[in-house]
């Protein structure tokens, strides 16, 4: 198996793990509040990732290839953990709250719109003009979201929460892109989950304080969902993402990981018996098309337009 194929398989597995996590998040709402769930899963994920970073550094020391980080590296790591963790805490709690009022499948597709929001934020904040295919993706995503929310003007509170979380995840991705360079990525991820857990804990004290007395029992009932989300989805999923992206280009990586929306819808139907109407299925298809279109190589639309123009002038067919 080639390195590229192996990386693609790992990223597809990552998308499958993340897609199934929407089911775990949905079923956990039967036992605990959304903010309590996020707090516990985040602390579990942070502990798992920081332990993995510690073991990785121990192995490097044993092999004699460990480089002690400088003070500047440590300051950057701490700042990255705080900023990225805060963004992740806001986004993930909005997502968890939204899942309480919508289906896992719809939440997966709406969340995938972060791939559209990232270039749009780049335009607004850094004046980076997105190519034509991104604008086409935005148009398709808007129509798809309209159909996915029932084909009417009314949108549920859950849909709006998940849409807001998608924007939050876009901000999180931009923050990670800024701080990840030169950092221990596993340690950075571990720190951000600890901060995310702290943000979630504050929300627990503000909005779910009345349920703290029964929290232990609720967490026990939702233990499999919590452990899956904390260890498998966050810990294992993030590690597989790192390994896969070593051998696959960023564009293809983003496209493969966006398949989590497809897996989320499939898992919702298979595991939770969630039904989708014809309009909602069409919305899912359009949103998936939007995600794919937004990830086309730069200049793909321009090249296709030029090719069609040449074909029309020659009066021939585009087939060989």
């Amino acid at each position: 198996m080639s390195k590229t194929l192996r990386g693609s398989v790992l990223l597809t597995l990552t998308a499958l793990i993340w897609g199934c996590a929407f089911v775990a998040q949905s079923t956990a709402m039967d036992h605990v509040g959304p903010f309590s769930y996020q707090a516990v899963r985040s602390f579990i994920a942070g502990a798992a990732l920081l332990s993995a970073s510690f073991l990785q550094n121990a192995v490097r020391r044993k092999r004699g290839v460990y480089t002690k980080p400088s003070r500047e590296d440590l300051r950057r790591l701490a700042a990255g953990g705080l900023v990225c963790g805060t963004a992740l805490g806001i986004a993930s709690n909005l997502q968890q709250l939204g899942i309480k009022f919508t289906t896992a499948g719809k939440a997966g597709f709406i969340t995938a719109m972060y791939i559209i929001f990232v270039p749009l934020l780049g335009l607004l904040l850094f004046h980076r003009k997105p190519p034509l295919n991104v604008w086409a993706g935005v148009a398709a995503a808007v129509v798809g979201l309209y159909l996915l929310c029932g084909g009417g003007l009314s949108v549920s509170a859950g849909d709006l929460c998940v849409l807001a979380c998608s924007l939050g995840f876009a901000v999180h991705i931009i923050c990670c892109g800024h701080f990840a360079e030169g950092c221990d990525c596993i340690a950075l991820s571990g720190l951000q989950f600890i901060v995310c857990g702290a943000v979630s804990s504050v929300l627990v004290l503000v909005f779910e304080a009345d349920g703290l007395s029964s929290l232990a029992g609720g967490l026990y009932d939702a233990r499999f969902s919590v452990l899956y989300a904390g260890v498998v989805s966050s810990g294992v999923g993030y590690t597989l993402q790192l390994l896969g992206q070593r051998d696959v280009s960023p564009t293809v990586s983003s496209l493969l990981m966006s398949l989590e929306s497809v897996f989320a819808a499939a898992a919702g139907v298979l595991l939770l018996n969630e039904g989708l109407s014809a309009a909602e299925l069409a919305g899912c298809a359009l949103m998936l098309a939007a995600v794919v279109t937004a990830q086309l190589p730069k200049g793909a639309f321009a090249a296709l337009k030029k090719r069609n123009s040449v074909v029309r002038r020659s009066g021939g067919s585009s087939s060989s």
Side-chain angles (χ1 to χ4, degrees):
M1 181 183 293
S2 68
K3 289 185 177 181
T4 301
L5 178 59
R6 181 182 62 191
S8 298
V9 170
L10 291 176
L11 290 172
T12 303
L13 182 57
T14 301
L16 174 61
I17 290 172
W18 287 346
C20 292
F22 284 96
V23 172
Q25 291 173 251
S26 180
T27 56
M29 294 301 93
D30 296 332
H31 308 287
V32 294
F35 305 132
S36 298
Y37 175 78
Q38 277 298 329
V40 175
R41 70 168 285 191
S42 296
F43 285 131
I44 291 174
L49 287 164
L50 290 177
S51 297
S53 177
F54 176 81
L55 291 174
Q56 176 181 260
N57 290 334
V59 171
R60 288 175 175 173
R61 287 190 187 94
K62 187 175 181 179
R63 293 179 178 177
V65 294
Y66 175 74
T67 302
K68 185 177 180 180
S70 64
R71 287 186 179 181
E72 179 61 30
D73 293 335
L74 293 176
R75 282 195 294 266
R76 184 177 180 83
L77 182 64
L82 180 61
V83 173
C84 296
T86 301
L88 179 62
I90 295 172
S92 60
N93 279 290
L94 280 171
Q95 182 190 62
Q96 192 62 37
L97 183 62
I99 289 175
K100 187 175 182 179
F101 302 104
T102 188
T103 65
K106 289 175 69 175
F109 271 93
I110 297 173
T111 299
M113 286 191 69
Y114 68 79
I115 299 182
I116 306 295
F117 286 134
V118 169
L120 290 179
L121 287 176
L123 174 64
L124 294 174
L125 300 177
F126 308 109
H127 305 292
R128 298 170 183 165
K129 187 177 180 181
L132 182 60
N133 59 294
V134 172
W135 294 120
V138 170
V142 170
V143 177
L145 182 60
Y146 170 78
L147 293 173
L148 189 57
C149 294
L153 296 178
S154 61
V155 179
S156 73
D159 296 333
L160 288 176
C161 280
V162 180
L163 184 62
C165 100
S166 180
L167 179 60
F169 279 126
V171 173
H172 174 253
I173 289 171
I174 291 175
C175 292
C176 286
H178 175 74
F179 286 102
E181 186 177 355
C183 281
D184 179 343
C185 289
I186 298 180
L188 175 61
S189 183
L191 286 176
Q192 74 171 357
F193 275 114
I194 296 298
V195 174
C196 177
V199 171
S200 303
S201 297
V202 172
L203 294 175
V204 170
L205 294 176
V206 174
F207 296 105
E208 296 177 2
D210 293 341
L212 288 178
S213 58
S214 60
L215 179 59
L219 287 174
Y220 179 79
D221 292 334
R223 59 192 180 280
F224 296 113
S225 296
V226 172
L227 288 174
Y228 180 89
V231 178
V232 181
S233 178
S234 300
V236 176
Y238 183 82
T239 302
L240 290 177
Q241 179 193 5
L242 286 177
L243 293 173
Q245 286 193 267
R246 288 178 178 177
D247 304 309
V248 181
S249 69
T251 298
V252 177
S253 296
S254 298
L255 177 57
L256 289 170
M257 287 186 291
S258 71
L259 290 174
E260 70 170 295
S261 60
V262 180
F263 290 128
V269 172
L270 294 174
L271 301 178
L272 300 179
N273 295 318
E274 294 179 349
L276 292 175
S277 67
E280 290 172 338
L281 286 172
C284 289
L286 269 174
M287 292 191 70
L288 181 59
V291 169
V292 172
T293 302
Q295 294 305 309
L296 289 174
K298 186 178 180 180
F301 270 32
L304 180 61
K305 182 178 179 181
K306 181 179 180 181
R307 180 170 177 264
N308 289 338
S309 177
V310 172
V311 170
R312 285 195 298 269
R313 286 200 301 269
S314 64
S317 172
S318 61
S319 61
S320 57

